[in-house]
Amino acid sequence: MTRLERAAWAPIAEAHRAEVEEELADVVRRRDRGEKHPIDDFLFHYYNLRPSHLAQWHPGVGITLLDAPEYESRPLYRLANAEAEVDLELFLQKRGGTLQTAHRLLAAAAAATPRFGCFGMHEWAMVYRLQPGETRHPYLKLRFPPDELAAIVEEVGCRCSHFDAFRFFTEPAKPLNLLVPTREGQAELDQPGCLHVNMDLYKW
């Protein structure tokens, strides 16, 4: 077990907080104003993360922070005599299932052969045959009119292998996909050439 004096860990925590808050200042500003933003909405709503959570520095397992009373309010930490450390037993009790799922999916994807032939058609399949105003972000104009977009999807076809992309296909688009990804079969289909599999690294 490594023990860090406050003089050692506090500057690291503060530097992390300052860097994240500077990087996400526009995100927080838009949120406070109630402004929509397609990337912000995706990163902090779809993945259900908060900028304040990302700004919190964590030492990791096996590190004891000395003189750290502020960690008493942090979930999944154990505090005694103002010394804080990750409560690994509690973490595994509460998050063990998620950890096992993440390991299973990531290990399977890393071992799979990458495929790069989907050409991003999953994005168009999510708006296939929708009319203006029916998309997830109706305030954004699509690059093609609906009929032209549909023709592109039909000509190129869909080869989506990731369930969390496929489940957002419009109903008319789902039969156009060569595969029928399911949550149960995710480990068998996820592969490292998939954009969505790589985006999930952010989640895990």
Side-chain angles (χ1 to χ4, degrees):
M1 180 73 72
T2 300
R3 297 166 63 83
L4 294 180
E5 298 284 350
R6 187 176 186 89
W9 67 261
I12 299 173
E14 174 58 24
H16 172 83
R17 182 200 62 76
E19 181 178 3
V20 171
E21 288 185 353
E22 180 181 1
E23 188 70 28
L24 299 182
D26 289 341
V27 174
V28 174
R29 192 176 301 114
R30 284 190 289 266
R31 180 200 64 191
D32 292 344
R33 293 174 179 172
E35 297 176 5
K36 291 184 176 296
H37 188 279
I39 297 175
D40 292 357
D41 293 349
F42 189 79
L43 292 178
F44 297 103
H45 293 281
Y46 176 77
Y47 282 115
N48 196 28
L49 291 173
R50 298 178 184 175
S52 60
H53 290 169
L54 294 179
Q56 292 179 354
W57 176 76
H58 296 278
V61 175
I63 306 292
T64 298
L65 304 180
L66 305 185
D67 189 17
E70 59 266 50
Y71 276 76
E72 184 173 12
S73 60
R74 297 270 188 98
L76 305 179
Y77 276 84
R78 178 170 52 234
L79 191 73
N81 300 319
E83 297 183 2
E85 62 186 46
V86 173
D87 189 332
L88 182 57
E89 182 178 349
L90 181 61
F91 177 84
L92 292 176
Q93 178 184 330
K94 290 184 174 294
R95 305 280 179 84
T98 299
L99 191 64
Q100 290 176 351
T101 296
H103 181 270
R104 178 173 58 86
L105 292 176
L106 293 175
T113 300
R115 299 188 297 276
F116 303 100
C118 78
F119 305 116
M121 284 296 106
H122 63 281
E123 296 292 345
W124 294 131
M126 294 178 187
V127 294
Y128 177 76
R129 295 296 180 188
L130 293 183
Q131 296 304 310
E134 294 181 333
T135 61
R136 182 179 296 271
H137 299 285
Y139 56 93
L140 294 176
K141 184 179 179 181
L142 295 175
R143 293 168 59 191
F144 300 100
D147 289 345
E148 188 173 346
L149 189 151
I152 294 171
V153 173
E154 291 162 1
E155 179 181 352
V156 176
C158 297
R159 303 163 186 82
C160 182
S161 58
H162 187 60
F163 173 72
D164 281 319
F166 178 72
R167 68 189 177 99
F168 289 109
F169 280 28
T170 63
E171 288 304 317
K174 289 180 179 178
L176 302 178
N177 201 48
L178 293 179
L179 302 168
V180 183
T182 63
R183 179 68 73 201
E184 294 73 20
Q186 187 172 349
E188 285 71 45
L189 289 180
D190 275 1
Q191 46 89 17
C194 173
L195 172 66
H196 275 259
V197 168
N198 284 277
M199 289 193 307
D200 277 353
L201 295 174
Y202 173 73
K203 173 175 67 176
W204 302 126

